Amino acid sequence: MMARERSPGMKLFLTGVVAAVLIVPLMMVYALIWDRENQSNQAQTQVTAGWGGAQTITGPLLVIPYNGEVTETETVNGVAQQRTRNVRRELFVSPTEQDIETRIDPERRGYAIYESVVYEAEITGTARFALDGDLERLGVERDSLLLDQAELRFGISDPRGLTDGASVRAGGETIQLSPGNGPAATGGSGFSAPVEWDAEAPLSVAFQYGLRGSRSLALVPRGGETAWQVTSPWPHPSFTGSFMPQEPEVGADGFTATYPGITNLALGQRLLSLSDGGNPGMAMAVEAAAYDESYAREMRAAGQNASPVVIGLVDPVDLYSQVDRAVKYGFLFIGFTFATFFMFDVVGGARVSAAEYLLTGTGLVLFFVMLLAFAEVIGFAWAYIVAAGAIIGLVTAYSAAVLGTWRRAGFIGAMLAGLYALLFVLLNLETYSLVIGSLLLFAALAGIMYATRNIDWSAVRRSDEDPREGYTV
């Protein structure tokens, strides 16, 4: 009996419809990645809950209270009268220079199948304070300063991370520390210490403290000149924020980053001020700046007075971002496989139904689900090998039944193996991935055009035999 077969144009249309339908499960894979990444973030939060979050430090800042006068106008019985009353205010003195050294010792901590990077940091430094000519400009008289009630303030965004051994020496003497009352740049968190100073000679301060945190450590520089040197055995740092280190040394044994001199001219700050110019929301913004360079650029463009310098402890294998990038190439796999099936159909004579296209495409989408599932347990590279091997074997075996011969199925398997190998290379070559991908698509399109150059897309063939039978390539 004569069987009416669809035209090549209709087959192409139906193949495109099936490919479009497969966009839905690909989008569901995207949602699954987002959900698993969110669970990972929650697990990391639990790991760091009793340790310390992303830390922001600043200070020391010298705060000197003084007595000022305020003139107020009030109306009494219709007559405007002026009255003067004394008020207590604060003068904020930034160091003329400060030198800070930090040693970061990282550690991986796990929760279930998830890991988070935590660290212990040892922070030591010196600072020097002096009153300059801005005192007169601010309208503050030296005699009104309550120097015996001055206070040094140190900012720690998450004071839970403070460890034993914190000490501060001012003028050569150790002073007692009190919790809280930190600068505005850390939202008032940190610690403080009362200090007496006659303001005749510069005040020298030396300090040291240990700090636990996770993911990143940031410094909000303040003063005439701030120098910060950071060393760590962590081999994968990120440097973001408002200032970059000068020629950082990064290797397999760790890194050394030096910020030689961040001046108050670059910060847009005066050494003396009647207000604490820090941004209270800076501590919350630092974590975003550590992982999002675009956010860091926005902070720099905003010209904020509190300009953080951020060092992030980056995990070099962010499996969720890698799986997410792999899924973006999902339609490439579907397109190449469908194109090969289509060529065998219209050129080689093998019949491929819409259901067979759909089942094959579903198997290709399953690769990304398997990649995500195994990557959380055995790591991305091994998960990629396992998932790719399973799907290549599945699709190759199914292709033998669909296309009628193992020779054709072997071609499908070889093509998929090449695509998976190429995708792995693309995932590790971010800079050239678009160039390589576009060239690959160009070559595929050129091959399809050449193979179908003599096809009559509107022709309908009638046949009384199954073209799969007795036809080989």
Side-chain angles (χ1 to χ4, degrees):
M1 179 177 180
M2 300 287 288
R4 190 174 187 274
E5 189 176 346
R6 296 186 181 93
S7 68
M10 179 57 67
K11 290 181 179 181
L12 179 62
F13 173 76
L14 292 177
T15 302
V17 170
V18 174
V21 169
L22 290 172
I23 294 177
V24 176
L26 278 177
M27 294 299 102
M28 295 176 66
V29 174
Y30 270 117
L32 179 62
I33 295 172
W34 179 87
D35 179 68
R36 298 298 294 180
E37 186 174 15
N38 185 53
Q39 290 187 32
S40 174
N41 292 335
Q42 291 179 357
Q44 292 182 15
T45 300
Q46 293 185 14
V47 171
T48 60
W51 185 268
Q55 293 285 11
T56 302
I57 62 174
T58 189
L61 176 65
L62 180 62
V63 181
I64 305 174
Y66 69 95
N67 293 321
E69 293 184 346
V70 176
T71 301
E72 299 175 339
T73 302
E74 60 180 15
T75 302
V76 179
N77 296 327
V79 179
Q81 297 180 354
Q82 291 186 340
R83 52 180 296 186
T84 302
R85 63 184 181 90
N86 292 326
V87 294
R88 181 186 174 95
R89 290 181 170 176
E90 291 181 333
L91 175 68
F92 297 88
V93 184
S94 299
T96 57
E97 59 184 37
Q98 62 174 332
D99 190 354
I100 303 173
E101 295 183 358
T102 302
R103 165 77 181 184
I104 301 176
D105 293 315
E107 176 186 354
R108 289 184 180 273
R109 293 209 166 190
Y111 178 84
I113 61 174
Y114 305 104
E115 282 189 342
S116 181
V117 179
V118 300
Y119 63 81
E120 290 192 36
E122 187 65 29
I123 300 167
T124 61
T126 59
R128 186 171 179 271
F129 295 89
L131 295 179
D132 59 17
D134 280 351
L135 195 63
E136 296 181 0
R137 181 189 60 81
L138 295 174
V140 179
E141 297 181 1
R142 185 180 290 263
D143 294 340
S144 66
L145 298 176
L146 304 177
L147 295 172
D148 58 337
Q149 300 179 29
E151 183 179 61
L152 286 170
R153 297 179 181 177
F154 295 80
I156 310 288
S157 62
D158 190 352
R160 296 175 305 165
L162 281 170
T163 60
D164 294 336
S167 66
V168 177
R169 295 176 61 87
E173 297 183 0
T174 302
I175 54 180
Q176 185 176 359
L177 306 181
S178 300
N181 206 25
T186 56
S189 298
F191 59 90
S192 57
V195 60
E196 293 188 8
W197 181 40
D198 58 13
E200 296 298 330
L203 175 65
S204 297
V205 176
F207 57 91
Q208 67 175 24
Y209 56 89
L211 186 64
R212 297 187 302 186
S214 60
R215 298 186 292 275
S216 68
L217 176 64
L219 170 71
V220 179
R222 187 163 186 166
E225 183 174 349
T226 301
W228 190 28
Q229 184 179 55
V230 184
T231 59
S232 174
W234 186 258
H236 308 287
S238 68
F239 305 106
T240 56
S242 299
F243 301 93
M244 294 292 106
Q246 182 176 12
E247 298 181 356
E249 300 177 3
V250 181
D253 297 329
F255 72 91
T256 299
T258 302
Y259 300 82
I262 303 173
T263 66
N264 66 314
L265 297 179
L267 296 170
Q269 300 174 351
R270 293 183 179 273
L271 298 184
L272 301 184
S273 176
L274 298 182
S275 64
D276 189 348
N279 181 358
M282 184 57 59
M284 298 178 62
V286 162
E287 188 168 2
Y291 296 98
D292 189 347
E293 177 58 26
S294 63
Y295 187 89
R297 288 195 297 266
E298 291 176 5
M299 293 170 62
R300 291 194 289 268
Q304 299 178 14
N305 287 337
S307 305
V309 176
V310 186
I311 296 178
L313 304 182
V314 178
D315 193 333
V317 183
D318 185 354
L319 65 92
Y320 296 106
S321 64
Q322 286 187 303
V323 175
D324 180 80
R325 290 186 60 219
V327 175
K328 293 177 181 177
Y329 292 93
F331 209 75
L332 182 68
F333 281 79
I334 295 172
F336 271 85
T337 306
F338 280 17
T340 305
F341 274 22
F342 183 74
M343 290 297 98
F344 280 126
D345 190 343
V346 301
V347 178
R351 280 182 185 169
V352 184
S353 67
E356 291 166 336
Y357 277 110
L358 184 61
L359 288 174
T360 303
T362 303
L364 296 174
V365 173
L366 181 60
F367 162 77
F368 302 104
V369 178
M370 295 179 64
L371 176 62
L372 175 61
F374 283 103
E376 291 183 331
V377 180
I378 62 176
F380 182 82
W382 282 108
Y384 194 94
I385 294 173
V386 171
I391 297 303
I392 290 173
L394 176 66
V395 174
T396 300
Y398 186 63
S399 299
V402 172
L403 301 178
T405 68
W406 278 101
R407 185 178 179 182
R408 296 173 179 178
F411 181 84
I412 295 292
M415 181 200 66
L416 286 177
L419 284 176
Y420 283 122
L422 179 63
L423 175 60
F424 191 82
V425 173
L426 292 178
L427 293 176
N428 291 278
L429 295 176
E430 295 186 28
T431 304
Y432 301 103
S433 60
L434 181 60
V435 174
I436 297 175
S438 61
L439 291 176
L440 184 64
L441 288 174
F442 176 82
L445 180 61
I448 293 174
M449 287 181 173
Y450 180 81
T452 60
R453 66 191 186 281
N454 296 322
I455 290 179
D456 184 356
W457 292 97
S458 60
V460 177
R461 183 179 65 183
R462 294 181 178 273
S463 175
D464 57 355
E465 65 175 283
D466 189 342
R468 297 183 193 176
E469 298 178 359
Y471 191 99
T472 59
V473 175

